[in-house]
Amino acid sequence: SIVQSPNYLYPVNASVNIDNTVSVTWLVDSTSELLFYQVDGSNNGAQFNLLEQYNVPSPLTQFETYIDSASLPQTNSIFYRVIAIDSCNNKYPSTDSVQTVNLNGELLDYYVSGLNWNDFAAKFTNILYWRLYRNFGSGNFQLIKTLPAGINETADSLQAFLSEKGQFCYRIEAVYQIDIPGLYQDTLSSFSNVFCIDHRPIIYIPNAFAPNGVNNIFK
């Protein structure tokens, strides 16, 4: 009995959800005879650790999505690879890994947030542009900027939102094209983690006074 091995296995997407889980999607040869999927994760793209091994769905579908709730995409970018396993315990690793977008930044000055991020990466993909979203407490993220590919940092002025509470949260979306020759073409997107900045107070009120100390004048 000869087991039909997969002719292809390609990760096509890894996107961080609003709850900081990650959805990892791959394209697989649905005519193959498989028993398990193994999903591995890495913080550096070199050393991978097992996240989970589970039974493949029946019937086998061309696209499969795994939800990773164990990694910390808000801390750093996560790399994923997928391994298909058949009934003879033969392992067929994906041709490449897929990398999430990690958004980071700092408060540069009063009213200005500085943001930076890494590129989304997967085989046969090309980033078209970026969409930056901001949330300042309303519960929903609003699109505030569209940036061209090749840009990995920006500054956001908060001058117009002085009446809001001091925390501002951001997400960035990579809109990219994927073109796997002869198999699959589409325009997809990958979201980063949610990154929040606490704005420093503009007015400081002292609550203590030390005469004959270092602060001898109260005014």
Side-chain angles (χ1 to χ4, degrees):
S1 178
I2 299 176
V3 176
Q4 176 64 43
S5 61
N7 291 315
Y8 54 85
L9 176 60
Y10 295 109
V12 297
N13 187 259
S15 184
V16 183
N17 303 312
I18 200 72
D19 60 356
N20 280 323
T21 61
V22 183
S23 297
V24 185
T25 303
W26 57 91
L27 173 71
V28 65
D29 180 5
S30 60
T31 66
S32 56
E33 298 174 285
L34 303 175
L35 283 186
F36 305 105
Y37 284 128
Q38 176 179 319
V39 182
D40 297 338
S42 170
N43 291 334
N44 55 22
Q47 183 177 359
F48 284 84
N49 299 308
L50 172 66
L51 293 176
E52 189 170 349
Q53 185 181 106
Y54 64 96
N55 295 329
V56 302
S58 182
L60 191 65
T61 56
Q62 190 177 22
F63 291 93
E64 172 71 4
T65 298
Y66 169 77
I67 305 298
D68 174 21
S69 58
S71 302
L72 298 173
Q74 66 271 37
T75 303
N76 48 261
S77 179
I78 309 294
F79 296 79
Y80 294 93
R81 70 179 181 189
V82 182
I83 299 174
I85 305 171
D86 66 17
S87 59
C88 296
N89 204 36
N90 296 315
K91 295 186 177 182
Y92 306 94
S94 55
T95 57
D96 209 343
S97 61
V98 61
Q99 180 184 3
T100 64
V101 180
N102 178 253
L103 179 63
N104 209 328
E106 61 181 333
L107 189 62
L108 298 179
D109 199 351
Y110 290 111
Y111 323 120
V112 180
S113 296
L115 303 168
N116 60 82
W117 59 92
N118 63 281
D119 281 334
F120 168 82
K123 194 173 180 66
F124 301 117
T125 62
N126 178 46
I127 297 174
L128 301 176
Y129 54 89
W130 300 95
R131 292 185 181 130
L132 179 65
Y133 300 83
R134 184 207 302 123
N135 175 5
F136 46 81
S138 64
N140 297 312
F141 282 86
Q142 301 87 31
L143 176 65
I144 60 170
K145 283 185 182 181
T146 300
L147 301 163
I151 299 296
N152 291 84
E153 61 181 12
T154 190
D156 178 41
S157 173
L158 304 172
Q159 180 74 42
F161 304 101
L162 299 184
S163 62
E164 298 293 335
K165 294 183 178 180
Q167 188 177 73
F168 295 83
C169 296
Y170 298 88
R171 293 180 87 192
I172 196 157
E173 175 190 18
V175 179
Y176 65 95
Q177 189 174 45
I178 184 168
D179 186 359
I180 304 175
L183 289 176
Y184 179 59
Q185 293 180 331
D186 205 351
T187 299
L188 304 174
S189 66
S190 171
F191 281 92
S192 75
N193 57 300
V194 175
F195 175 76
C196 297
I197 285 180
D198 290 320
H199 200 291
R200 67 173 66 94
I202 298 169
I203 298 176
Y204 294 88
I205 306 289
N207 61 6
F209 174 54
N212 300 319
V214 294
N215 299 312
N216 295 319
I217 300 175
F218 182 81
K219 65 178 180 179

